[in-house]
């Protein structure tokens, strides 16, 4: 970037009213990066001829090769509209679902967004996802309908058909917006209704009309409509675009109709009466063309027709009438697209149309809504009113966006991105001044003279005047190093260890105050609470940052370097005013992925980013050479910091595991690990497929869909008895599935039954995982005495609602009072399994209101809960977590321990001497049993402490209770959206059926031959799916895979034929392996567990006796 351009940007940064922070969002391949190229070319950063071909913001090599964007990139653009000058901070984001986390990082630091929609493909699944993300972050969208040229060239639409098609796309977008708006209004109304009111009303008076909030709220400004100026029609690859305002200005002079009338009528079913110079509605002019078709589309269609048919006379007339000039080279070019681009980019420049809409319709940082500020500051279930007063006062700083010295500095870091340390501005060679060039020239001349003298074998008799004395020749001989010295002094080495080739830059935005280089600032962790800080530090503190008392999740850092983000380049800045996007260097040791930076510790951390894609694909990674393990560990740490979505885990087995969002994301992470971060050769395992284990109700039909009759049940019962006979000694099972197990020292006996939870309850537990985790944390803190107050009111309301939903779903005599007796959730105390206690000896409860009374039961009761947690973490089939299982503790009997004979005699003598009652007659009295319940120390035996025995016994009891029920595997499922033409529809179905997929829905796009197929596909069968689809369909179909849910695999992994029909159909051995057993054996084999399978160890070739020679 030239110095003059940098000075201009710095000047524009100081006027927040003319700053626009925007991101470009769309489905994959809808033209985001091409549109960004067109906007960048308007600033002269790249040539307009390269726009769409260069993909300037795709700076990674794999982005260029694959042709998709994989990371968010920012660039600052200058736009002048009349006497107003604007600074546009543009962020290009990925459209592929695997990289939707990058969309979340971009949306958080923007005030508005451009949603790009392909005119042919229309509204796609990822379009809906990005619109929902923009809505959740409270940023205002505008719409760009791109690739209009495809309607002309590919689909051969007439202008009238194209108008109907564009109208349909707008209706779909507005329907999506209306759905989001309705859900928001209803949610707000539900919150208001749920607030405590006056005296309790009658039950009949509590009924209210949900639609009343919708009628009262104005939503006209939310929808996309060309007459509102928030829709632009473009063809980015041909370099043209327009809003109807441009044509309204032209035709108001030609036709003589006022501009404001044309603005209202150029879009819609309005027709023109040329004689009367009036615009009429549809019913007054039958068979007429709409204004949009007649005045706009027909002109564009005629231009395309003339150029594509090479009608030179017509082209010349059009160019002359529009007052354009095209070069002779472009006019003679063999590719008509070059000529089209030359004409259209002058007639309707796309950058002018899009940037004008952005500046007029999208808000500046000064227009941030109070609702968005409150949402950013309220983490978790907190309300804005419950925050400390010092925190609430920061709202004014957000709204004012002030740059005065007293304003608090508030910065949000949305992600950390890695860059080569050599590419940093401070490490680049700076251009030499005239004096330095003259000095180097003189030194080179002197070295040349010395070399000449040395070759002739004569020392120079008189040193040159400038060269100095002969004693100065040794330094002159070492001049190659001296040439680099000025550069090294001007470019200090990057921080951290010298071998680090990658430096991390924080991708951030200043919300308040001025970020200055070298400023000390607080780094707030996601769990930081300003209330805790204000309790420890008195009001009006003035101590230095280093002298403050230690506060959890609060660190102190320095803004070492500030950068202006210019796509592939960075420019150093001394300070950044509020409302601007920037890069910050030197935070790599303080910020992992995202963080809040603030000069005032009363600021809370911003609400965490919400990601659309769930990391589900796991692989184990190890170095090819074991000695390079330290490099791998360090590289994985850097990768974890550089990618907002990836997770790096170390399993119990010691494996280093990468968890990614999909196959493309996994490939990019592995490439980065090999080439950038670890720089070693690595070995990657087959993808680790996650499964879940569950139980179901006994089946009513057998494997051949025959109803299991009475005579056939006999065989099933016999099979069940055979299974039970395999259980170890001491484990008793009754007919109803109650498993009774005793501890090794026979002091405690547990009775546990396993029941399958209804599907609705399992989904409910999954959806409320965060609430359960918060409830469990508060309950354990209360029992340990760390918390004395009450939960926030909003959390209590959420818990009551959650409890009510559980009670509504758990109905019937079997589930009576189950919700009141829930002792724990699992695994990890927040999973989709529950432990229910029906025993009077253990009455623990997870609900906060019962937690205070349950303290005396939590001693040995904790051992039971720990055993339940271990059982749900690893099931009996293949050590995978459980899901949708309820364990009922129906019996817990404790007996007094028998002391050794010598101890009994001593205790008896001591007791007789003290005059106590007869201890022998009392046996295990109630007081003694209560001492066990309180967890008092019991006499040690060879089996270890009683608490440890309870944990192991509870775990075994839960596993046996599972094994006496019909067990099933649950597979992770993707939702698969495929767009394909009718020619390749059969091939798509063939690939889906071969991979155990299931088609849910199939629709045909109106006006096209493109079908949209929605299906579900097991994650285990998804690897290589996208490549196979593309190969089978010759690239005419491409899938988008998003993790959806867990689904029970219907086949029994332990099934053997038991009924007569099954014997006839499958044979006695049933050699055909079912899908569930195949998955189970694969997981067991990977984990090193025993696998029941037949292996041929000694195979011999069959010999025919007749030919035995």
């Amino acid at each position: 970037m030239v110095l003059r351009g940098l000075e201009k940007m710095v000047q524009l940064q100081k006027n927040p009213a003319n700053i626009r922070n925007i991101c470009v969002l769309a489905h994959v391949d809808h033209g985001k990066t091409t549109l960004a190229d067109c906007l960048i070319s308007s600033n002269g950063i790249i040539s307009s001829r390269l726009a769409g071909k260069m993909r300037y913001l795709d700076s990674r090599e794999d982005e260029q090769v694959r042709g998709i964007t994989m990371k968010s990139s920012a660039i600052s653009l200058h736009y002048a509209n009349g006497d107003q000058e604007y600074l546009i901070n543009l962020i290009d984001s990925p459209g592929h679902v695997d990289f939707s986390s990058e969309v979340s990082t971009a949306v958080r630091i923007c005030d508005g967004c451009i949603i790009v929609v392909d005119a042919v493909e229309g509204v796609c699944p990822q379009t809906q996802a990005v619109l929902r993300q923009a809505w959740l972050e409270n940023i205002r969208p505008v719409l760009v309908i791109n690739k209009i040229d495809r309607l002309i060239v590919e689909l051969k639409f007439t202008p009238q058909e194209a108008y109907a098609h564009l109208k349909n796309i707008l209706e779909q977008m507005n329907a999506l917006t209306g759905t989001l708006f309705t859900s928001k209004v209803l949610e707000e109304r539900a919150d208001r209704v749920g607030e405590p009111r006056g005296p309790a009303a009658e039950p009949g008076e509590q009924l209210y009309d949900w639609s009343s909030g919708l009628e009262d709220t104005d939503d006209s400004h939310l929808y996309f409509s060309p007459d509102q100026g928030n829709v632009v029609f473009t063809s980015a690859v041909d370099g043209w675009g327009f809003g109807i305002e441009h044509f309204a200005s032209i035709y108001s002079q030609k036709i003589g109709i006022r501009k404001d009338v044309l603005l209202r009528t150029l879009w819609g079913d309005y027709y023109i009466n040329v004689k009367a110079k009036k615009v009429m509605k549809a019913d007054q002019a039958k068979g007429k063309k709409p204004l949009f078709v007649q005045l706009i589309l027909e002109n564009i269609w005629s231009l395309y027709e003339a150029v594509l048919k090479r009608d030179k006379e017509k082209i010349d007339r059009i160019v002359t009438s529009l007052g354009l000039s095209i070069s002779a080279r472009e006019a003679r070019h063999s590719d008509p697209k070059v000529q089209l681009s030359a004409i259209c980019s002058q007639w309707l420049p796309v950058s002018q149309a899009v940037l004008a809409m952005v500046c007029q319709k999208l808000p500046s940082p000064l227009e941030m809504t109070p609702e968005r500020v409150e949402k950013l500051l309220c983490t978790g279930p907190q309300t804005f009113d419950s925050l400390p007063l010092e925190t609430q006062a920061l709202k004014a700083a957000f709204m004012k966006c002030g740059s005065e010295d007293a304003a608090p500095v508030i910065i949000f870091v949305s992600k950390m991105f890695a860059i080569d340390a050599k590419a940093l501005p401070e490490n680049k060679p700076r251009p030499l001044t005239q004096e330095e060039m003259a000095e180097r020239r003189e030194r080179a001349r002197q070295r040349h003279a010395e070399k000449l003298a040395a070759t002739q074998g004569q020392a120079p008799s008189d040193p040159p005047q400038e060269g100095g004395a002969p004693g100065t020749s040794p330094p002159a001989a070492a001049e190659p190093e001296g040439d680099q010295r000025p550069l090294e002094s001007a470019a200090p080495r990057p921080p951290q260890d010298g071998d680090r080739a990658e430096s991390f830059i924080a991708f951030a935005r200043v919300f308040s105050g001025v970020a200055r280089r070298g400023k000390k600032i607080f780094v707030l962790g996601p769990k930081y609470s300003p209330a805790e800080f204000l309790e420890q530090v008195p009001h009006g503190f003035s101590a230095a940052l280093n002298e403050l008392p230690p506060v959890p999740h609060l660190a102190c850092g320095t803004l070492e370097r500030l950068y202006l983000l210019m796509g592939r380049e960075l420019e150093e800045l001394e300070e950044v005013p509020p409302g601007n996007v920037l890069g910050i260097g030197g935070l790599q040791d303080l910020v992992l992925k995202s963080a809040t930076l603030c000069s005032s510790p009363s600021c809370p951390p911003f609400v965490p980013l919400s990601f659309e894609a769930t990391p589900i694909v796991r692989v184990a990674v190890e170095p090819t050479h074991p000695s390079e393990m330290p490099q791998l560990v360090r590289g994985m740490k850097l990768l974890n910091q550089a990618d907002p979505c990836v997770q790096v885990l170390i399993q119990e087995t010691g494996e280093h595991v990468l968890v990614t969002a999909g196959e493309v994301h996994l490939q990019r992470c592995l490439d980065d690990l090999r080439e950038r971060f670890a720089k070693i050769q690595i070995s990657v395992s087959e993808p680790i497929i996650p499964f879940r284990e569950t139980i179901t109700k006994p089946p009513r039909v057998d494997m051949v869909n025959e109803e299991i009759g009475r005579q056939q049940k006999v065989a099933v019962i016999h099979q069940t008895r055979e299974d039970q006979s395999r259980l170890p000694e001491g484990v008793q099972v009754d007919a109803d599935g109650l498993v009774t197990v005793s501890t090794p020292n026979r002091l405690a006996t547990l009775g546990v039954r396993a029941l399958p939870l209804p599907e609705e309850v399992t989904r409910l537990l999954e959806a409320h995982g965060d609430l359960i985790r918060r409830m469990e944390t508060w309950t354990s803190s209360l029992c340990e005495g760390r918390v004395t107050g009450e939960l926030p009111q909003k959390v209590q309301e959420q818990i009551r609602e959650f409890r009510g939903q559980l009670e509504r779903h758990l109905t019937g005599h079997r589930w009576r009072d189950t919700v009141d007796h829930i002792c724990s959730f699992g695994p990890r105390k927040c999973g989709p399994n529950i432990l229910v206690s029906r025993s009077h000896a253990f009455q623990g409860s997870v609900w906060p209101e019962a937690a205070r009374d349950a303290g005396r039961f939590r001693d040995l009761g904790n051992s039971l809960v720990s055993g339940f947690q271990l059982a749900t973490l690893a099931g009996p089939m293949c050590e995978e977590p459980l899901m949708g299982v309820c364990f009922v503790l129906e019996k817990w009997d404790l007996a007094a321990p028998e002391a050794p004979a010598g101890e009994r005699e001593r205790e008896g003598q001591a007791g007789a001497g003290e005059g106590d009652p007869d201890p022998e007659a009392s046996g295990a009295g109630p007081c003694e049993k209560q001492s066990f319940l309180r967890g008092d120390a019991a006499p040690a035996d060879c089996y270890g402490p009683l608490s440890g025995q309870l944990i192991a016994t509870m775990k075994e009891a839960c596993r046996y209770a599972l094994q006496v029920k019909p067990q099933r595997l649950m597979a992770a499922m993707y939702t698969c959206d495929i767009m394909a033409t009718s020619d390749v529809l059969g091939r798509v179905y063939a690939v889906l059926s071969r991979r155990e997929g299931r088609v849910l829905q199939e629709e045909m796009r109106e006006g096209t031959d493109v079908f949209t197929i929605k299906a579900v596909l097991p994650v285990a069968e998804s690897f290589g799916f996208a490549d196979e689809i593309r190969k089978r369909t010759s690239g005419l179909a491409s899938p988008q895979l998003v993790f959806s849910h867990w689904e029970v695999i219907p086949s029994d992994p332990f099934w053997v034929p038991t009924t007569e029909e099954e014997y006839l159909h499958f044979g006695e051995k049933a050699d055909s392996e079912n899908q569930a057993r195949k998955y189970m054996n694969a997981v067991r084999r990977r984990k090193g567990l025993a696998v029941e399978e037949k292996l041929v160890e000694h195979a011999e070739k069959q010999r025919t006796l007749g030919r035995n020679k």
Side-chain angles (χ1 to χ4, degrees), residues 859-881:
D859 300 323
L860 290 181
N862 278 339
S863 299
L864 298 181
V865 171
S866 298
F868 161 75
Q869 299 295 335
L870 290 173
T872 54
L873 190 60
M877 277 197 287
C878 51
E879 303 289 337
E880 289 289 296

Side-chain angles (χ1 to χ4, degrees), residues 443-632:
R443 282 196 220 146
R445 191 179 296 120
Q446 180 184 351
R447 285 198 303 273
H448 181 66
E450 290 173 358
K451 193 181 291 183
L452 256 158
T455 54
Q456 294 172 1
Q458 300 173 1
S461 56
D462 286 327
Q465 293 292 330
E466 303 89 351
T472 61
S473 57
E479 280 303 316
E481 286 81 1
D483 291 345
Q484 302 297 327
R485 207 170 297 137
L487 296 179
E488 290 178 2
S489 62
R493 293 182 59 175
Q496 303 305 317
D497 41 325
D499 62 345
R500 173 177 285 184
E502 300 289 334
S503 182
F504 280 88
I505 305 296
F507 191 61
R509 171 181 167 178
V510 185
F511 282 88
S512 170
V514 180
R516 292 185 173 88
R517 185 174 169 180
K519 182 177 178 60
K520 298 281 187 184
I521 201 159
F522 292 109
V523 181
L524 314 180
K527 295 183 180 178
Y528 169 72
S529 171
E532 289 184 20
F533 179 87
L534 295 172
E535 286 176 5
Q536 295 187 24
V537 179
H539 183 67
F541 68 94
S542 58
L545 297 185
N546 298 331
E547 299 174 6
L548 291 174
V551 178
H553 311 292
L554 179 69
C556 183
T558 307
L559 302 179
E560 293 182 7
R561 302 271 180 181
L562 304 180
Y563 301 105
L564 177 68
L565 303 175
M566 292 299 296
R568 304 180 182 186
E569 305 292 331
L570 296 174
E571 298 291 339
E572 265 198 294
L573 299 173
E574 289 299 318
E575 64 176 36
V576 179
N580 286 284
V581 175
L582 77 159
I584 306 174
L587 295 178
Q588 56 264 36
D589 296 329
L590 296 170
V591 178
L592 179 61
K593 291 180 184 282
S594 64
T596 307
L597 313 179
C598 187
S599 60
S600 167
S602 58
C603 177
F606 281 22
V607 65
L609 297 169
S610 61
F611 297 146
E612 285 283 323
T614 307
I616 194 73
V617 180
R618 298 175 174 230
V619 291
V621 181
E622 62 181 14
T624 306
H625 304 290
S627 61
E628 295 176 333
M629 180 59 82
Q631 290 97 306
L632 176 67

Side-chain angles (χ1 to χ4, degrees), residues 739 741-744 750-753 823 834-837 842 860-872 887-892 947-961:
V739 175
V741 189
S742 297
T743 55
L750 302 176
V752 178
R753 176 183 282 112
C823 308
I834 59 175
L835 173 64
V836 176
S837 174
F842 176 49
L860 290 181
N862 278 339
S863 299
L864 298 181
V865 171
S866 298
F868 161 75
Q869 299 295 335
L870 290 173
T872 54
F887 291 102
V888 183
L889 179 66
E890 299 202 353
K891 186 167 67 171
W892 181 19
S947 58
Q949 295 179 51
L950 277 175
I951 292 174
T953 306
M954 183 66 181
K955 176 186 173 184
E956 294 304 313
C958 292
R959 290 173 76 97
Y960 294 143

Side-chain angles (χ1 to χ4, degrees), residues 703 967-969 1048-1055 1074-1077:
M703 290 292 287
Q967 299 178 75
R968 295 290 184 272
L969 271 183
V1048 176
I1049 301 174
S1051 54
D1052 182 0
F1054 301 107
W1055 176 81
N1074 62 39
Q1075 194 73 11
R1077 190 173 186 82

Side-chain angles (χ1 to χ4, degrees), residues 31-52:
K32 298 178 300 300
T33 308
T34 304
L35 178 65
D37 271 5
C38 294
L39 303 184
I40 293 168
S41 67
S42 68
N43 274 224
I45 298 173
I46 63 173
S47 167
S48 58
R49 293 176 183 171
L50 293 176

Side-chain angles (χ1 to χ4, degrees), residues 1007-1026:
T1008 68
D1009 64 342
V1010 175
F1011 284 85
T1012 303
I1013 303 160
K1014 189 163 189 175
V1016 288
L1017 182 75
V1019 173
E1021 303 289 341
S1022 67
F1023 299 99
F1025 174 70

Side-chain angles (χ1 to χ4, degrees), residues 55 58 60-68 70:
R55 302 205 303 276
D58 287 352
R60 293 173 56 100
E61 185 181 351
D62 48 2
E63 287 180 317
Q64 294 286 343
V65 170
R66 284 183 178 267
I68 60 172
M70 296 185 181

